[in-house]
Amino acid sequence: MAVHTVKYWLTEHPNIVNFRWSPTQSYASTWFFLFTAVSSYVIAAVSLHILLAVTRRRRGLSLGPIPALHSLAMALISTVIFVGILLFAAAEIRDTRWLWRRTRTTALQWFLCFPVGTRASGRVFFWSYAFYLSRFLHLFRTFFAVIRRRKLSFFQLINQSSLLCISFLWLEYSQSFQVVAILLTTVSYAVVYGYRFWTAIGLRGACFPLVVNCQAVLLGCLTVCHVGVLCIHLVKRGGCNGIGAWLFNSVLNAVISLLYLKFYVQTRSLSLRKQ
């Protein structure tokens, strides 16, 4: 009974099945809103950093339990999105298996490559929309870092802004690749934010940099999937939907990967020096 209830609320609810990405029906679905949100985020973060630098306080300010509660909320939200899109994928495979046989489409091809003409409606785009909205909650971590550690990272600004734009493009252009990307990203976030909550309440952390390694594995998996999309697009008749947006997505992902690789190398070098 409980399993059927969960499936109904995560895959069969009318609001999920009948979802449609539209500027008139979906909140935060316009280009103007996206540009305003990203600009406001960057300006607010830089302004806060400058303001705190002017005060010349050596120590950061305490935020109490707020970061821990934020990590817990993000872990739970990521888990719900992961379970929701996983159940959706199972339902979609069940409902369209007959069509796959006629078009000779495999599950892997469907995960990475939407057919040309796919519209942003239905279950997958509902959970993609939920993921897009959750990206706004991720922005708070930048402000936490500035307030607590007096540190504003250029990589963090670029990373958060780029991921917000990428999740918007997934919906705007019904972009291929988003199903597997959301699955990989949400399971990674569930682990990372769960670990951050674990350590924030005073429990013992891992003996290795779990957060850094999880993010490195995520970027590696996404890069492999990008290569898979390109191969399927070149081989499949008609190609994949939203390939132009996917190309822009790939460029942003490459930039993020290079910046993160630089950060990862610097982090490993500092840890080896301390040893």
Side-chain angles (χ1 to χ4, degrees), residues 10-54:
L10 296 183
T11 61
E12 304 298 338
H13 192 277
N15 289 339
I16 297 177
V17 176
N18 300 321
F19 172 80
R20 181 183 178 187
W21 169 259
S22 169
T24 59
Q25 299 180 17
S26 309
Y27 175 72
S29 60
T30 63
W31 286 98
F32 176 77
F33 183 92
L34 177 67
F35 291 142
T36 302
V38 172
S39 301
S40 300
Y41 160 68
V42 173
I43 293 172
V46 173
S47 299
L48 180 61
H49 178 68
I50 294 174
L51 179 63
L52 293 178
V54 170

Side-chain angles (χ1 to χ4, degrees), residues 184 187-189 191-192 195 208-221 260 264:
L184 292 172
V187 72
S188 174
Y189 285 163
V191 173
V192 167
Y195 174 76
F208 61 94
L210 185 142
V211 173
V212 175
N213 289 337
C214 278
Q215 292 174 339
V217 170
L218 173 62
L219 286 174
C221 291
Y260 190 80
Y264 183 80

Side-chain angles (χ1 to χ4, degrees), residues 12-229:
E12 304 298 338
H13 192 277
N15 289 339
I16 297 177
V17 176
N18 300 321
F19 172 80
R20 181 183 178 187
W21 169 259
S22 169
T24 59
Q25 299 180 17
S26 309
Y27 175 72
S29 60
T30 63
W31 286 98
F32 176 77
F33 183 92
L34 177 67
F35 291 142
T36 302
V38 172
S39 301
S40 300
Y41 160 68
V42 173
I43 293 172
V46 173
S47 299
L48 180 61
H49 178 68
I50 294 174
L51 179 63
L52 293 178
V54 170
T55 60
R56 297 182 179 180
R57 287 177 57 94
R58 293 184 177 180
R59 295 183 179 180
L61 301 176
S62 174
L63 293 174
I66 294 177
L69 293 175
H70 177 265
S71 295
L72 177 61
M74 293 310 305
L76 293 176
I77 291 171
S78 298
T79 301
V80 170
I81 295 175
F82 173 79
V83 174
I85 203 164
L86 190 64
L87 291 176
F88 142 76
E92 193 72 13
I93 292 172
R94 179 198 63 209
D95 296 340
T96 59
R97 187 175 297 170
W98 63 273
L99 180 61
W100 292 6
R101 291 172 182 171
R102 293 180 60 182
T103 58
R104 296 181 180 180
T105 301
T106 65
L108 179 61
Q109 289 176 332
W110 177 81
F111 269 107
L112 294 176
C113 180
F114 289 158
V116 174
T118 299
R119 296 183 179 181
S121 60
R123 300 184 185 101
V124 62
F125 292 99
F126 172 86
W127 288 113
S128 182
Y129 180 58
F131 180 82
Y132 165 62
L133 293 180
S134 73
R135 290 302 323 170
F136 290 95
L137 298 178
H138 286 270
L139 303 182
F140 285 103
R141 282 204 59 83
T142 302
F143 299 101
F144 293 162
V146 173
I147 295 173
R148 295 170 68 186
R149 298 192 296 270
R150 292 307 193 78
K151 184 178 181 180
L152 179 61
S153 170
F154 173 75
F155 167 75
Q156 193 169 30
L157 285 177
I158 295 297
N159 183 50
Q160 297 287 12
S161 300
S162 298
L163 292 176
L164 186 59
C165 293
I166 286 172
S167 58
F168 178 87
L169 292 176
W170 288 350
L171 290 156
E172 186 69 13
Y173 294 102
S174 305
Q175 185 187 317
S176 298
F177 166 76
Q178 60 181 285
V179 174
V180 67
I182 293 174
L183 284 172
L184 292 172
T185 304
T186 49
V187 72
S188 174
Y189 285 163
V191 173
V192 167
Y193 279 102
Y195 174 76
R196 283 171 173 163
F197 173 74
W198 177 272
T199 56
I201 61 176
L203 298 176
R204 185 176 180 181
C207 58
F208 61 94
L210 185 142
V211 173
V212 175
N213 289 337
C214 278
Q215 292 174 339
V217 170
L218 173 62
L219 286 174
C221 291
L222 291 177
T223 300
V224 172
C225 292
H226 274 291
V227 175
V229 172

